[in-house]
Every structure is written in C-alpha cells, then in structure tokens.
Amino acid sequence: PASLEVMMEAWRMPAAAPRTIVEKIYHEEELRRAIAMKQLINYYQPKVALSTGKVVGVEALVRWQHPTDGLVYPDQFIGVAEAHGLINDLTHSVLKQALQDMASWKQMGLEVQVSVNVSMDNLSALDFPDTVSALAASAGIAPTALILEVTESRLMHDLRAPLEILTRLRLKRFGLSIDDFGTGHSSLTQLRDLPFDELKIDRSFVHGAHDMGNIRAIFSASVGLAKELGMKVVAEGVEDAGDWAFLRFTDCDLAQGYHISKPIPASDFVAWVDLYRRRLGT
Ligand code: C2E
Ligand code: MG
Ligand code: MG
Ligand code: MG
C-alpha cells in the first residue's frame, strides 16, 4: 500500500546528506567526557539476504549525541579516539549497547546478528577476546550472533599481534568480517591465511557496478574470491533499485545500503522490520 511506502521512505536516505559542510574536529577531553556521560549512541543499519529479502542482521554505527552540535558522525571522532587512547572505552560502549539491544530485540521475538566495527588498536589488547566474551555472556548472547568488522586497509599494515587476537576470537566462535574490501590491497595469501568468515565489498565497487564494466569486474572478482575461500559476501552501499537488481544475479549473499534503509536508532528497529516484512509480504 502507498502509505507503507511513505513510511518506509522516511527510513531511507534523506534527499540531502545529513552532514555539516565544515567538519569540526573534536578535542580529546570533550570526547572523553562524552564517553563517560554516555553521549555516544548506536544507530543500526539493516543487512538483508539477497535470495529471500529477509533481514538477517544489522551493523552498529556509532553517533555522538552532542549537547550543542547535534548528531555527530564517526568520521569526526573515531580518529580522535584512536589517537588519544580512548578507542578501547569507545568500542566497549558500542559493544555493550549492541549486546543490550540484541537482548531486548530477542525478548520481542526478533533475533538478528549484530556487526560491530573494531579498530586495529582494539586488536592489540591481548585481553580483548575475553572482554568481548564476558560482555556477550552477561547479555545472554551467543558468540555466533556477534560479528566484528575490521577495515581491510588498516588490517594489512602489521599483522602479527592482530592475527593472534583474531584467531582467539574465531576460536570463541565470534564472526569476523573484512570491511571496505577492495580499498586495502590485501594479497591473496593474506586473505587465505586470515580467520575471517565474511567479506564486505566496499561501496565504491557496488554502487553503479551494473552499468560500469570496470567497477563490475572488481566486484565480480571479489565475490568469486570470497566464495572460493568459503566466506559470506556482503555488498555495502546498495543505493538504488539498479544496484539491488544487479546484485540479485550475482553470488553475493547480503546487501546493505540506503536503498534498504539508512542507519536508524535502536528504538526504531523493531517497527522498521515490521513494516519491511509487510511490504515484502512475509
Ligand atoms: P563502515 O563500517 O564502512 O560503515 C558504513 C558507512 O557507510 C556508514 O557511515 C553508513 O552510514 C554509510 N552507508 C551506509 N549505506 C550507504 C549507502 O548506500 N551509500 C553511502 N554513500 N553510504 C552508506 P558512518 O555511520 O558515517 O560510519 C563511517 C565509518 O566510521 C564506518 O564505515 C566505520 O569505519 C566507522 N565507524 C562507525 N561506527 C564505528 C564504531 O563503533 N567503532 C569504530 N571503530 N568505527 C566505527
Ligand atoms: Mg563497518
Ligand atoms: Mg564498510
Ligand atoms: Mg568505511
């Protein structure tokens, strides 16, 4: 029905990007206080299966609910957190909220996987796997329901300490995903030797792939590679119906992007799934 479409549209990308033109860089002290005062909140972007259209998971994307500047996006403060030793606290906050939200969705009968972005700095703390385990256990969430995403370009720099931690996380049965694949130039050998079970193809090789042969070539090669290595494949940046239609004829498993939904607050997610299912007719 038309009214359903109108409501779904509100959860898609607004006509103008929500970002400010001049991006302010925040001071470490202000960010430290913000973390302590719980001003960082998780938004969630749905991930859907291409074969069935079903919602299988969400990615947690942090935002700063700034008392005077409004909603501040992660590109404006993740770097600050990494540079000033605040990233462990930040990741802890995102993980804790994600697990709490999963637990409350589960109570409402909605079981989905949640992906959380982790920084390379998190992967140099040897107690990180035990910390994640303890957080998941106390929320009553199985490790297989939590996926940790690491950006490809950062991963390939110095692999030794991270590899140890990634292996421990994998042994504990957490999901591991390579984010923004295609922008980081990893070698085939590195990919084969890393314990990842999901690969997310960067949006620069997804949006528009259907009518640009050179982009499509990289996209298809990446999907083929991931499938050969037994990994699940997610296309990010699915922005329009053309992207979606193209993906349905590929071996890609999951799609994420503004065409499906923009990232939304936790409190909107159950209502979003409800409307999405009604539109799908399931
Ligand atoms: P990412 O992990 O690759 O997340 C996807 C980004 O693309 C998100 O931006 C999302 O809002 C945006 N996006 C989703 N669909 C589309 C689409 O169809 N088209 C376009 N053009 N963009 C789309 P966001 O939320 O601003 O996050 C930016 C980056 O910040 C993330 O990229 C991730 O690397 C980092 N980040 C976000 N949350 C966290 C976090 O909790 N911890 C850490 N360490 N990094 C985070
Ligand atoms: Mg990500
Ligand atoms: Mg990404
Ligand atoms: Mg990214």
Side-chain angles (χ1 to χ4, degrees), residues 34-50:
I35 298 172
M37 293 172 69
K38 306 201 186 306
Q39 289 173 1
L40 298 194
I41 52 167
N42 292 0
Y43 270 48
Y44 296 96
Q45 187 178 38
K47 263 163 83 178
V48 304
L50 280 153

Side-chain angles (χ1 to χ4, degrees), residues 112-205:
V112 289
Q113 288 188 315
V114 176
S115 301
V116 169
N117 293 284
V118 301
S119 155
M120 281 307 279
D121 298 345
N122 296 129
L123 301 181
S124 58
L126 274 173
D127 59 353
F128 186 64
D130 287 332
T131 304
V132 180
S133 279
L135 285 173
S138 69
I141 299 296
T144 49
L146 185 67
I147 301 175
L148 303 172
E149 296 190 1
V150 192
T151 301
E152 186 203 16
S153 57
R154 304 286 302 279
L155 186 63
M156 301 307 163
H157 270 291
D158 177 22
L159 218 51
R160 254 167 317 169
L163 186 56
E164 161 87 27
I165 289 163
L166 289 167
T167 305
R168 289 194 200 180
L169 287 164
R170 198 69 200 116
L171 287 171
K172 292 177 182 290
R173 309 191 65 227
F174 290 103
L176 294 179
S177 181
I178 300 187
D179 204 355
D180 303 335
F181 184 76
T183 60
H185 322 287
S186 30
S187 72
L188 298 182
T189 318
Q190 283 172 320
L191 272 187
R192 186 201 58 199
D193 294 342
L194 286 168
F196 286 84
D197 57 348
E198 183 186 89
L199 188 138
K200 295 184 83 166
I201 301 180
D202 190 70
R203 66 167 175 262
S204 54
F205 306 110

Side-chain angles (χ1 to χ4, degrees), residues 21 56 96 105 107 123 175 201 207 231 250:
I21 307 289
V56 296
K96 207 165 164 196
W105 293 331
Q107 272 192 330
L123 301 181
I201 301 180
H207 176 56
M231 298 164 91
T250 68

